[in-house]
Amino acid sequence: MMKKTQLLKQMLTSPELDFIMEAHNGMSAKLVEEAGFKGIWGSGLTISASLGVRDNNEASWTQVMDVMEYMSDASSLPILLDGDTGYGNFNNMRRLVRKLEQRGVAGVCIEDKLFPKTNSFISGETQPLADMDEFCGKIKAAKETQLDPDFCVVARLESFIAGWGLDEALRRAEAYRLAGADAILVHSKKADSSDIEAFMQQWQNRHPIVIVPTKYYSTPTDKFREMGVNMVIWANHTLRAAIQSMQQTLAQIYRDQSLINVEGKVATVSEVFRIQGADELKEAEKRYLPTSGKQVNAIILAASQGNLGELTRELPKTMLKINGKPMLTMQVDDLNKVGIKHVVVVRGFAKEKINLNNILTVDNMDFAETKELYSLYLAREHLQGSATVISYGDIVHKNYILNDLLNDDNEITIVVDADAQLTEADQDMVMTDKPYSRNLYSNTVKLTGMMLSSETQTYNGEFIGLWKASGDGIRIVQETLAYLAKRADFRSMTMIDLFNEIIKQHPIAVKFIKSDWLDIDSILDLQKAGELL
């Protein structure tokens, strides 16, 4: 398969007349390719206009590079960038070439005017030309900088625009050819092609020629072929068509105060999604998301009030904000991002404050006298599907932790921090059959017991409040909950009791992490969470 640079060079050097079409963003680049064109003109005029600024280098070269990156990513076609004057001297030109090659842009066209440039069709005859030798230095700098031998540098002649005539155009064109330009772009603002014809008669096909027939558009295309032109650039019609269509649509909507007369005349939202590649994303989700093809549920246990003074006097701890966003909202968003849409939240204290639109709720009216295991029991009917993720409502963690948990294929897996320090009386300390090691993915570590930190036994880490049951593990958890619910002390039981009961008969796998999470128990924890995320 040919590289983009090779494709552009082939068009420039082919004896056949080739055409490239203007684009100014990723969407228009996709449309140019779909229309059948073989290349794209990254127009300085239309990129500037799409950004709402003049074609006078008001858009910085780095902003143009950002647009180029989107266009290059969006299309497999080679792009020839309208690089104005190279955005400075020879040194700026060298950096421009490096950055274009990094973004997969096939070539750059530079014009022999002064920086900052003004569009050629605005008082062009009053615009001074660049010193010819200095401009040749830019061309040489560009050619000596490029790493890809097929990267193309096109030198644009502004002699006709500035009123200098044919002799100056020929003199400069030959100098630019000798300096190493891959092609010469001859520009004219006449309404006919007489400038181009006169030039081509004298030029005698000694080097590839590119033209931009924006002003002399009525000239038959076959005439360009007869002249020996190599490439035609349709330089700005994508943007101009869009502007006219937008103006007409906006005027109609403004007059009608309704969409009834425009909806059938504009692209459907589905068409926008198609161009954006929505179908490809769906296929990628099936391939890469750990929940693809599975019904994965989540239960967030968020019934407690918390003990953060005034902050939790009227607000559940799970609704405290981190970086301006409620903790619970962050948890639900993280679950949604990996394809988990069925999220159940067990509410309790100030339950009316937990009113997110994209969740189901179960209410623990006895939140003050019960523990998290009782909340899970109330939501037990949602322990279903291929897997269910269970999380405390007052924890935050890096996203990879959830991804790793979902990719684990054990029936019951809990997440344990191997870096935990025995400092607080309410930590859920874990004993395993093996300590943390770097071979976590080749060794299955099993839970052997859980204890409160007030006990002084050896431990291997702390349960962070995040775990998963899948397959037969869901049945095991449901049966164990039903068994424990018969005990008189069930309402005061914790997750420790559930896990310790399960491991009497069934193994529980441990997914070790090292930090990257927080249990929010203080105002300081809230501050740390903001830094963690």
Side-chain angles (χ1 to χ4, degrees):
M1 183 176 180
M2 295 181 70
K3 298 179 299 182
K4 291 182 178 181
T5 50
Q6 291 172 322
L7 292 170
L8 178 60
K9 179 164 281 190
Q10 186 180 70
M11 283 190 284
L12 287 172
T13 57
S14 170
E16 300 296 325
L17 182 63
D18 278 308
F19 305 89
I20 64 174
M21 184 69 193
E22 168 264 323
H24 48 275
N25 55 26
M27 174 73 79
S28 56
K30 283 176 178 283
L31 294 176
V32 168
E33 182 167 5
E34 287 189 355
F37 287 96
K38 294 165 61 178
I40 295 172
W41 171 245
S43 163
L45 166 62
T46 63
I47 291 172
S48 298
S50 69
L51 296 174
V53 298
R54 290 174 288 248
D55 187 22
N56 293 71
N57 292 129
E58 291 184 4
S60 70
W61 77 275
T62 56
Q63 290 172 316
V64 174
M65 287 302 98
D66 287 342
V67 176
M68 283 296 100
E69 184 168 355
Y70 280 108
M71 289 172 58
S72 183
D73 288 347
S75 171
S76 64
L77 298 183
I79 300 172
L80 176 62
L81 169 65
D82 175 8
D84 293 338
T85 62
Y87 308 106
N89 65 10
F90 76 92
N91 193 43
N92 301 90
M93 189 70 218
R94 293 191 299 184
R95 185 164 176 78
L96 174 64
V97 170
R98 287 197 297 269
K99 294 305 175 183
L100 288 173
E101 285 193 306
Q102 289 171 8
R103 286 159 176 78
V105 177
V108 63
C109 176
I110 56 171
E111 59 194 76
D112 55 356
K113 291 195 298 193
L114 301 181
F115 177 85
K117 59 78 61 91
T118 299
N119 188 279
S120 299
F121 297 147
I122 302 175
S123 302
E125 65 279 354
T126 67
Q127 298 178 32
L129 297 182
D131 177 81
M132 188 176 71
D133 291 334
E134 187 269 342
F135 191 73
C136 286
K138 282 188 189 179
I139 296 172
K140 292 176 183 177
K143 296 304 293 180
E144 291 176 3
T145 298
Q146 69 188 64
L147 298 177
D148 185 338
D150 295 310
F151 182 87
C152 294
V153 177
V154 177
R156 173 168 149 180
L157 284 171
E158 292 287 301
S159 301
F160 290 128
I161 297 291
W164 283 74
L166 177 60
D167 289 343
E168 182 66 10
L170 289 166
R171 186 174 77 93
R172 285 178 173 257
E174 179 64 10
Y176 302 160
R177 180 184 74 85
L178 295 174
D182 295 286
I184 307 297
L185 190 157
V186 185
H187 207 20
S188 173
K189 64 177 182 178
K190 283 187 177 180
D192 58 55
S193 59
S194 57
D195 282 342
I196 309 301
E197 291 180 63
F199 181 90
M200 293 302 292
Q201 287 174 1
Q202 296 295 319
W203 187 247
Q204 294 295 305
N205 296 322
R206 73 185 78 163
H207 208 51
I209 296 298
V210 181
I211 62 171
V212 187
T214 302
K215 290 293 186 179
Y216 48 98
Y217 59 86
S218 61
T219 303
T221 302
D222 280 343
K223 194 166 187 178
F224 302 145
R225 291 189 174 95
E226 293 170 6
M227 294 180 199
V229 172
N230 297 82
M231 177 180 285
V232 170
I233 296 174
W234 310 120
N236 45 52
H237 290 76
T238 302
L239 180 82
R240 288 164 61 189
I243 288 173
Q244 185 176 46
S245 178
M246 286 190 287
Q247 287 172 330
Q248 293 171 350
T249 301
L250 291 169
Q252 183 81 53
I253 295 172
Y254 182 80
R255 285 195 305 270
D256 297 347
Q257 297 185 1
S258 169
L259 301 177
I260 190 66
N261 290 318
V262 302
E263 190 59 41
K265 302 175 183 177
V266 297
T268 63
V269 176
S270 296
E271 174 65 0
V272 176
F273 292 157
R274 183 194 68 79
I275 297 169
Q276 289 176 311
D279 288 342
E280 188 280 333
L281 180 59
K282 288 181 181 178
E283 291 303 312
E285 286 175 347
K286 293 177 183 178
R287 184 171 182 177
Y288 299 118
L289 283 181
T291 57
S292 174
K294 304 173 184 176
Q295 175 58 51
V296 181
N297 301 334
I299 299 173
I300 300 176
L301 307 176
S304 68
Q305 176 180 5
N307 187 23
L308 273 73
E310 281 297 309
L311 291 179
T312 52
R313 188 168 64 86
E314 297 180 350
L315 192 70
K317 183 163 60 167
T318 193
M319 295 303 290
L320 293 179
K321 291 184 177 180
I322 299 171
N323 293 335
K325 199 171 185 179
M327 201 182 329
L328 179 62
T329 301
M330 295 171 67
Q331 290 182 319
V332 173
D333 286 350
D334 287 344
L335 291 165
N336 290 168
K337 286 175 185 175
V338 296
I340 301 176
K341 306 297 183 182
H342 185 94
V343 180
V344 178
V345 177
V346 182
R347 308 182 298 181
F349 174 76
K351 62 186 178 73
E352 69 281 355
K353 300 291 178 67
I354 298 177
N355 55 1
L356 281 64
N357 293 326
N358 54 341
I359 62 171
L360 300 174
T361 58
V362 172
D363 294 338
N364 179 359
M365 304 305 293
D366 299 323
F367 63 89
E369 293 82 34
T370 58
K371 301 293 184 181
E372 66 270 12
L373 191 61
Y374 185 73
S375 289
L376 178 60
Y377 179 74
L378 294 177
R380 63 192 181 279
E381 68 180 55
H382 298 284
L383 284 160
Q384 55 180 269
S386 301
T388 300
V389 173
I390 300 95
S391 174
Y392 292 170
D394 60 351
I395 62 169
V396 294
H397 51 76
K398 296 280 192 180
N399 289 336
Y400 79 86
I401 296 175
L402 177 59
N403 283 315
D404 282 355
L405 179 62
L406 288 168
N407 283 314
D408 183 271
D409 58 4
N410 289 286
E411 291 181 337
I412 303 174
T413 305
I414 67 174
V415 180
V416 171
D417 181 7
D419 270 352
Q421 301 298 314
L422 187 59
T423 58
E424 298 181 14
D426 60 349
Q427 288 178 311
D428 297 339
M429 307 315 294
V430 166
M431 294 174 289
T432 62
D433 63 345
K434 300 171 189 157
Y436 167 83
S437 76
R438 293 186 179 181
N439 299 320
L440 299 182
Y441 295 98
S442 60
N443 285 326
T444 300
V445 181
K446 294 181 181 179
L447 182 69
T448 59
M450 298 190 67
M451 59 185 175
L452 293 173
S453 60
S454 58
E455 302 178 31
T456 57
Q457 304 173 40
T458 301
Y459 62 90
N460 301 106
E462 178 187 1
F463 169 58
I464 75 167
L466 180 67
W467 60 289
K468 180 194 72 171
S470 57
D472 205 40
I474 291 177
R475 178 189 60 78
I476 294 167
V477 172
Q478 289 174 330
E479 290 178 355
T480 307
L481 281 171
Y483 170 75
L484 293 175
K486 298 174 183 177
R487 289 178 41 171
D489 59 347
F490 178 62
R491 290 162 62 92
S492 62
M493 284 186 177
T494 67
M495 212 63 72
I496 294 175
D497 299 300
L498 175 67
F499 294 153
N500 279 333
E501 186 64 34
I502 289 175
I503 60 176
K504 291 177 181 177
Q505 302 293 331
H506 306 280
I508 293 179
V510 171
K511 176 74 67 175
F512 276 122
I513 62 170
K514 301 200 79 175
S515 301
D516 288 342
W517 77 286
L518 276 172
D519 181 5
I520 307 302
D521 286 321
S522 67
I523 295 175
L524 180 60
D525 289 336
L526 278 175
Q527 296 170 341
K528 289 181 179 179
E531 298 170 2
L532 175 69
L533 301 178

